[in-house]
Amino acid sequence: FAHTVMTTKALNKANSSQEIFFEVELPKTALITNFSMEIDGQVYVGDVKEKEKAKTQYDKAVSSGQTAGLVKASGRKMEKFAVSVNIAASSYVVFTLTYEELLQRKSGHYEILTRVKPKQVVQEFKILANIFEPQGLSFVEAIATFLSNDLLPLVEKTAHISFSPTVEQQRSCPECDGSIIDGDFVIKYDVKREKALGEIQIVNGYFVHFFAPPALPRVPVNVVFVIDRSGSMGGLKMRQTREALLAILDDLHQDDHFALIIFDHNVSKWKNYLTKASQKNITDAKNFVRNIDHNGSTDIHGALQAAVAMLKDSHARKTIPERSTDLILLLTDDNPNSVSDIGVIQKRIQEAIGGNMSLFCLGFGNDVDYSFLDVMARQNKGLARRIFEGSDAAVQLQGFYGEVSKPLLLDVGLKYSDNAVMTQNHFRHLFDGSEIVVAGKLSDSVDNLFVEVFAQGSSNDFSVQGQAQVEDWDVIYPDEEYIFGIFTERLWAYLTIQQQLEKSDIGTALEKENNTQKALDLSLKYSFVTPLTSMVVTKPQTEDQPDSTLVADKLTEAQRQKAERAQGRIGAPAPPLRSRPAPTDGDPHFMIELPDRDDSLCFNINDKPGTIFNLVRDPRSGFVVNGEIIGKTVAGDEAHMKTYFGRFGITHDSLGLRLEVSTQDIILTQDDGEHVRLLWSNTTTVQWPDMEFKLTKNCSLTVRLRHAVKFMVIKHTKVWKRRHDRQDYLGFYTLDSHHLSPSVHGLLGQFYHGVSFELSRPDQAASVMYVKGRQLNAMRHLQKDFSFDVISGRTICCWFVDNNGTGLIDGTASDYIVPSLFKID
Ligand SMILES: *[C@@H]1O[C@H](CO)[C@@H](O)[C@H](O)[C@H]1NC(C)=O
Ligand SMILES: *[C@@H]1O[C@H](CO)[C@@H](O)[C@H](O)[C@H]1NC(C)=O
Ligand SMILES: *[C@@H]1O[C@H](CO)[C@@H](O)[C@H](O)[C@H]1NC(C)=O
Ligand SMILES: *[C@@H]1O[C@H](CO)[C@@H](O)[C@H](O)[C@H]1NC(C)=O
Ligand SMILES: *[C@@H]1O[C@H](CO)[C@@H](O)[C@H](O)[C@H]1NC(C)=O
Ligand SMILES: *[C@@H]1O[C@H](CO)[C@@H](O)[C@H](O)[C@H]1NC(C)=O
Ligand SMILES: *[C@@H]1O[C@H](CO)[C@@H](O)[C@H](O)[C@H]1NC(C)=O
């Protein structure tokens, strides 16, 4: 249980006040427990409060123009804590940040990661680590990404590790101001493990039990790989997935059984049953994997059901060993879109699995709904992990499989003689290289704690008993009271909070509330900054700035992902344009551009003002575009009315978006109540998770719905100079529609996945057109108002099909009339 204190002291030697910055990074698995600033002897201490209460204070600060928010996600593993204060001339400040973390044993060791980026040479730089492990260390090493060979000997390594380079040793070159200290300082160690029962420590009425018995053989696994090959997995991701699968197949143990399920909108299997991991079978599977390519949309539900059924079937036929464990490993980069209610999917999968298998979910990239996967994994005794897009994605995938593919024990139950208030004490697996930790609060002053552990091993049942003495830790470590005074108690609180939080979004409403309340109470009592609490820091007043309130939060993985998306750090490359329909001026005019043929088709739709047409409807994602017609009778020509689109109603159900665009304004509304109104005269960008709205000054609104569609709405103005008249109207332009499903329809939607046509006389002004098995007349059409391509800036010719596009569109124009702007039937 690591207790880390980061501290910086700065003295303002200048003769005027200066802003002093404190920026440090801490592991995302750590919880902040304290922060203080000492300014000229006066100490300002952060206060941990319930998040809602802190938020009220924060909102007040925000509305008074003060910024807040001290914690941001930083890369895959870290969080950045940043604060600054204004310090008067000749004054000093000491910043102190404290955080705690239960180190997780992985691949046979613990790791303490410290990121150091002082950005300048500092007077006194020091990293000091003391490791107290009564069992003794089996090894310890310290490595730093920034250390060259000449600085390496400076690191002293025993259970006491220290690194304190002088100012000269920190310089990046003898005369430079720059520092070489910039990167990660990592301590790795493990303890000696001799006792099968593990290590039990009791202090002040709280105990902790670390269980990882030595030298156990591995239990065979039955693993079904469920691999997403939907369209979004295209390119690099698919290649990395293949690469990782090939490596993972090589890592399978010959006693294991495995299956491969590949899914898009359709679920396909390599074989209909689990296969023994013999050399020959693996070679066959690898040939199959090499040919997996991307296609279609994402039926996560169907694929998981197939995996569960396959495992059940193999058990029924007894083709897999009795002593073995069932794992399902799902890899996806997208959100489910067959059964699209994620709650329904989670419920059905949980029912199907019935606690008999572990489900591990890997979310590839930033577009996946990580919370969905995370909850589903935890509901099924597994866990979820994010796979970050990057050159090392295959290594991340393989690494994760390495962690969960070597169970040593199954159904591990740990029992204690005392009626202790305990953290989780039953575990489905103990994986090789990891450890089980149970902490508890003892009821009264016990001297001896009896402990029993039962589990299933690879060939026999495992059981071990023993007892732990209440040792006098003051005697063992007399000088370390600051941590050992209550470390078991804090560890117990930390572990309890973590486990309650994990349960706070699964189970019944009552259980959820119970778990959340318990986690909150402990977070407050022990001053942990968790997703339920915030630390409020009040920054002192200076001449030019009033008091300000700052808030340090704990980010959840889903929030980290959201922040990354908003920063757009990982963006999909722009896909090629497929079709670019453009209804513009006059009798709503539709144009279907066919870039691969360098040609286009167009038609008009005539109807009276007030009529609403459906332009796009994608039943799978719930993306709908409806447009309302407005009319204009130009002064001096009362006999003729021109019609245009004056209003669009655009919805995307799975993203919870509703967008209403008129010639006056643009109203964005999200399911969770977010609501923004923009005027065409604004030039602005609004970023919401998964969506971006960019309004530029030539009255064009570009909307990017991640993994769904990209389009533009433009406000045009038609001017009749001689008649001193004008009319505003709207055009809708699809920029990228390839994510929409094959069943997309609507006046425009039906052309998104291509249309093929033949012309009998393509070089003439009029021709017979063959399209959709029909024969129509088409005219070469070139009219600036109609065919000016706002995107390329060119005037394009099109083949015009008369009579409301009859023959070109499915059905007749009246089939596309809808009752209101946000309804389709
Ligand atoms: C403050 O420092 C500036 C330069 O750093 C110097 O020009 C000025 O005279 C100093 N003022 C005082 C009052 O020391
Ligand atoms: C936080 O730090 C301050 C200043 O060092 C100290 O006085 C206080 O006791 C600490 N609070 C907790 C909860 O540890
Ligand atoms: C799924 O794919 C298989 C083989 O590729 C095919 O036989 C089957 O009809 C497909 N099912 C659907 C619903 O597309
Ligand atoms: C896999 O390999 C074993 C041994 O090579 C063989 O007996 C078996 O038929 C193969 N296929 C399956 C489905 O297990
Ligand atoms: C890709 O999806 C299409 C459309 O559903 C289907 O017809 C085709 O068979 C799929 N291709 C492969 C290789 O499964
Ligand atoms: C889980 O396993 C138990 C014991 O084998 C069995 O009784 C139960 O039906 C299984 N649950 C499901 C949903 O298959
Ligand atoms: C809620 O918590 C209390 C006290 O911890 C417990 O007695 C009760 O059974 C819990 N209720 C549920 C539904 O979990």
Side-chain angles (χ1 to χ4, degrees):
F1 188 64
H3 175 94
T4 305
V5 181
M6 285 194 164
T7 184
T8 291
K9 178 169 185 171
L11 172 66
N12 181 6
K13 287 185 183 166
N15 63 5
S16 57
S17 67
Q18 281 195 87
E19 188 84 351
I20 311 283
F21 294 86
F22 177 65
E23 279 189 16
V24 292
E25 293 184 51
L26 58 146
K28 66 181 183 185
T29 41
L31 298 180
I32 291 176
T33 62
N34 204 356
F35 171 70
S36 66
M37 290 185 287
E38 180 187 342
I39 302 169
D40 282 336
Q42 174 89 27
V43 185
Y44 303 85
V45 184
D47 193 7
V48 176
K49 295 192 172 173
E50 184 175 349
K51 190 163 204 147
E52 287 311 307
K53 291 191 183 141
K55 196 160 176 293
T56 319
Q57 226 165 330
Y58 167 99
D59 287 343
K60 247 190 271 167
V62 169
S63 61
S64 68
Q66 304 295 327
T67 49
L70 300 179
V71 178
K72 290 193 177 62
S74 175
R76 298 175 185 179
K77 291 185 179 174
M78 309 298 278
E79 268 164 20
K80 182 184 269 176
F81 178 93
V83 67
S84 72
V85 282
N86 212 314
I87 297 299
S90 313
S91 294
Y92 73 89
V93 56
V94 184
F95 298 101
T96 307
L97 178 74
T98 310
Y99 59 83
E100 292 179 332
E101 180 187 13
L102 179 62
L103 301 178
Q104 268 186 26
R105 184 168 183 258
K106 272 185 199 163
S107 314
H109 64 263
Y110 303 102
E111 186 175 296
I112 303 170
L113 171 66
T114 314
R115 185 158 290 172
V116 276
K117 293 174 171 292
K119 295 182 186 160
Q120 58 183 319
V121 168
V122 289
Q123 285 287 319
E124 194 186 327
F125 178 92
K126 194 171 203 171
I127 295 177
L128 185 66
N130 288 307
I131 303 174
F132 303 101
E133 293 282 6
Q135 295 140 283
L137 304 188
S138 64
F139 80 94
V140 57
E141 62 182 48
I143 43 175
T145 54
F146 51 85
L147 280 192
S148 58
N149 288 343
D150 33 324
L151 278 191
L152 217 45
L154 283 182
V155 181
E156 285 178 32
K157 290 174 300 184
T158 52
H160 170 88
I161 293 172
S162 88
F163 172 60
S164 43
T166 63
V167 167
E168 292 317 311
Q169 285 166 332
Q170 291 171 48
R171 290 193 199 286
S172 48
C173 66
E175 303 299 316
C176 304
D177 286 336
S179 171
I180 54 152
I181 312 284
D182 180 8
D184 293 342
F185 188 87
V186 184
I187 299 168
K188 289 184 181 176
Y189 75 94
D190 198 19
V191 300
K192 293 183 184 147
R193 292 172 194 277
E194 281 143 14
K195 291 177 279 180
L197 186 63
E199 171 73 6
I200 297 155
Q201 300 170 0
I202 307 173
V203 184
N204 261 354
Y206 289 82
F207 78 89
V208 54
H209 181 190
F210 299 97
F211 176 72
L216 289 173
R218 179 181 174 280
V219 180
V221 301
N222 313 311
V223 56
V224 183
F225 298 98
V226 182
I227 307 297
D228 183 348
R229 59 100 162 258
S230 64
S232 53
M233 286 285 291
L236 186 61
K237 282 192 209 162
M238 201 69 249
R239 209 164 64 227
Q240 290 172 328
T241 302
R242 280 195 301 266
E243 198 183 309
L245 274 176
L246 293 174
I248 287 171
L249 287 172
D250 273 332
D251 288 347
L252 290 178
H253 199 275
Q254 59 182 13
D255 296 335
D256 292 345
H257 285 73
F258 71 104
L260 290 160
I261 292 180
I262 312 295
F263 70 100
D264 40 43
H265 51 281
N266 191 353
V267 176
S268 65
K269 301 165 191 166
W270 170 52
K271 295 227 185 319
N272 287 326
Y273 36 80
L274 277 96
T275 302
K276 192 169 158 59
S278 68
Q279 201 50 53
K280 160 106 184 30
N281 294 342
I282 286 178
T283 307
D284 291 351
K286 284 162 86 174
N287 285 331
F288 173 77
V289 166
R290 287 191 187 96
N291 289 318
I292 300 174
D293 210 347
H294 61 96
N295 194 20
S297 60
T298 324
D299 185 5
I300 290 179
H301 176 251
L304 287 177
Q305 289 289 8
V308 174
M310 213 188 243
L311 281 162
K312 284 185 179 170
D313 181 56
S314 298
H315 279 289
R317 293 153 172 263
K318 302 196 189 304
T319 57
I320 47 187
E322 202 166 316
R323 258 179 211 275
S324 61
T325 187
D326 294 347
L327 313 179
I328 298 174
L329 200 117
L330 167 71
L331 172 73
T332 181
D333 77 328
D334 207 349
N335 302 327
N337 48 16
S338 57
V339 180
S340 53
D341 182 341
I342 58 177
V344 173
I345 297 182
Q346 286 167 340
K347 187 160 166 284
R348 290 191 195 160
I349 297 300
Q350 196 177 2
E351 280 165 6
I353 287 182
N356 292 341
M357 304 159 190
S358 286
L359 172 62
F360 297 98
C361 298
L362 298 176
F364 201 157
N366 258 340
D367 292 332
V368 29
D369 181 349
Y370 184 74
S371 322
F372 159 67
L373 296 181
D374 186 34
V375 168
M376 191 163 63
R378 280 186 279 114
Q379 285 170 331
N380 296 291
K381 301 187 180 175
L383 59 97
R385 188 70 67 80
R386 288 176 63 197
I387 300 296
F388 298 89
E389 280 180 59
S391 52
D392 65 338
V395 177
Q396 297 173 55
L397 289 167
Q398 199 187 348
F400 178 78
Y401 186 69
E403 282 174 38
V404 301
S405 59
K406 284 172 260 168
L408 304 177
L409 294 175
L410 309 179
D411 278 328
V412 188
L414 303 99
K415 283 192 189 155
Y416 305 88
S417 60
D418 191 68
N419 264 337
V421 179
M422 255 179 317
T423 56
Q424 186 185 340
N425 67 337
H426 188 270
F427 298 82
R428 187 167 163 83
H429 298 115
L430 169 69
F431 291 114
D432 190 23
S434 74
E435 170 179 70
I436 284 174
V437 182
V438 180
K441 179 182 182 178
L442 301 171
S443 55
D444 42 39
S445 53
V446 280
D447 291 333
N448 288 307
L449 183 66
F450 292 92
V451 183
E452 285 180 294
V453 184
F454 295 100
Q456 284 179 40
S458 64
S459 46
N460 298 307
D461 285 348
F462 173 98
S463 98
V464 54
Q465 293 90 28
Q467 63 170 295
Q469 308 267 316
V470 177
E471 285 166 272
D472 193 355
W473 283 66
D474 287 350
V475 177
I476 306 177
Y477 295 116
D479 300 330
E480 306 302 338
E481 192 228 344
Y482 87 95
I483 172 164
F484 286 105
I486 55 164
F487 104 93
T488 42
E489 182 173 349
R490 293 194 65 82
L491 192 164
W492 165 79
Y494 175 102
L495 207 53
T496 308
I497 292 169
Q498 228 175 28
Q499 292 175 358
Q500 300 297 332
L501 284 173
E502 280 168 12
K503 287 190 270 176
S504 68
D505 51 5
I506 58 181
T508 67
L510 201 61
E511 285 165 349
K512 286 182 192 176
E513 200 186 309
N514 230 8
N515 291 324
T516 306
Q517 190 59 43
K518 209 161 162 190
L520 173 63
D521 292 346
L522 284 175
S523 303
L524 290 172
K525 177 164 181 209
Y526 291 93
S527 173
F528 284 113
V529 179
T530 66
L532 304 174
T533 54
S534 298
M535 181 179 284
V536 178
V537 179
T538 304
K539 214 160 75 155
Q541 189 174 357
T542 57
E543 307 99 49
D544 38 359
Q545 285 172 333
D547 269 15
S548 57
T549 303
L550 306 171
V551 175
D553 287 321
K554 180 75 205 169
L555 308 175
T556 62
E557 201 57 43
Q559 283 169 328
R560 296 167 65 90
Q561 187 195 30
K562 200 168 170 178
E564 279 167 31
R565 264 188 256 159
Q567 289 162 14
R569 234 187 298 145
I570 302 169
L577 293 184
R578 295 272 176 95
S579 61
R580 189 189 289 163
T584 58
D585 177 20
D587 309 323
H589 182 84
F590 292 79
M591 184 158 146
I592 318 299
E593 198 194 344
L594 306 152
D596 45 350
R597 288 185 60 142
D598 203 21
D599 214 336
S600 45
L601 306 177
C602 45
F603 58 96
N604 286 347
I605 294 288
N606 297 301
D607 215 307
K608 52 185 186 306
T611 309
I612 301 171
F613 282 106
N614 173 252
L615 308 186
V616 185
R617 64 200 290 182
D618 180 12
R620 217 162 259 171
S621 60
F623 179 63
V624 171
V625 181
N626 291 333
E628 180 181 345
I629 290 179
I630 52 173
K632 170 73 179 173
T633 310
V634 185
D637 188 7
E638 266 70 27
H640 291 97
M641 182 191 274
K642 290 191 163 290
T643 52
Y644 304 90
F645 278 120
R647 222 150 54 102
F648 288 124
I650 301 168
T651 41
H652 195 292
D653 281 348
S654 12
L655 293 174
L657 171 73
R658 169 186 274 234
L659 177 62
E660 182 173 346
V661 188
S662 71
T663 53
Q664 280 82 47
D665 59 9
I666 298 156
I667 296 167
L668 319 174
T669 317
Q670 218 176 356
D671 271 359
D672 62 12
E674 283 250 25
H675 186 91
V676 175
R677 174 167 181 253
L678 305 172
L679 295 175
W680 283 104
S681 51
N682 298 137
T683 58
T684 182
T685 301
V686 175
Q687 286 197 322
W688 284 350
D690 288 320
M691 2 184 161
E692 186 191 69
F693 309 85
K694 194 169 177 181
L695 189 51
T696 52
K697 64 172 183 295
N698 54 358
C699 288
S700 85
L701 171 73
T702 306
V703 179
R704 237 167 73 95
L705 305 182
R706 193 173 287 262
H707 254 171
V709 60
K710 185 174 172 189
F711 59 86
M712 242 166 141
V713 179
I714 300 185
K715 185 177 94 166
H716 301 276
T717 304
K718 168 85 177 165
V719 180
W720 291 271
K721 278 204 187 108
R722 274 181 291 156
R723 290 173 173 165
H724 304 290
D725 209 341
R726 57 193 290 146
Q727 174 65 38
D728 289 336
Y729 66 92
L730 301 174
F732 179 87
Y733 306 88
T734 316
L735 302 182
D736 176 14
S737 58
H738 87 277
H739 280 300
L740 297 178
S741 75
S743 41
V744 62
H745 208 260
L747 276 172
L748 292 175
Q750 62 188 293
F751 299 107
Y752 280 172
H753 292 289
V755 52
S756 70
F757 66 99
E758 288 301 325
L759 296 159
S760 62
R761 309 174 71 170
D763 51 346
Q764 303 286 308
S767 169
V768 169
M769 179 190 286
Y770 302 95
V771 62
K772 296 184 178 176
R774 288 180 286 253
Q775 183 180 328
L776 334 163
N777 294 318
M779 305 263 291
R780 200 84 178 121
H781 209 294
L782 187 107
Q783 188 181 333
K784 203 163 185 294
D785 275 347
F786 285 6
S787 317
F788 180 68
D789 182 351
V790 286
I791 294 143
S792 67
R794 292 183 300 144
T795 301
I796 313 176
C797 289
C798 64
W799 288 98
F800 184 76
V801 175
D802 208 342
N803 194 12
N804 280 344
T806 304
L808 180 59
I809 60 171
D810 294 335
T812 68
S814 60
D815 296 339
Y816 296 86
I817 295 176
V818 291
S820 81
L821 213 50
F822 291 102
K823 288 209 174 110
I824 46 177
D825 40 40

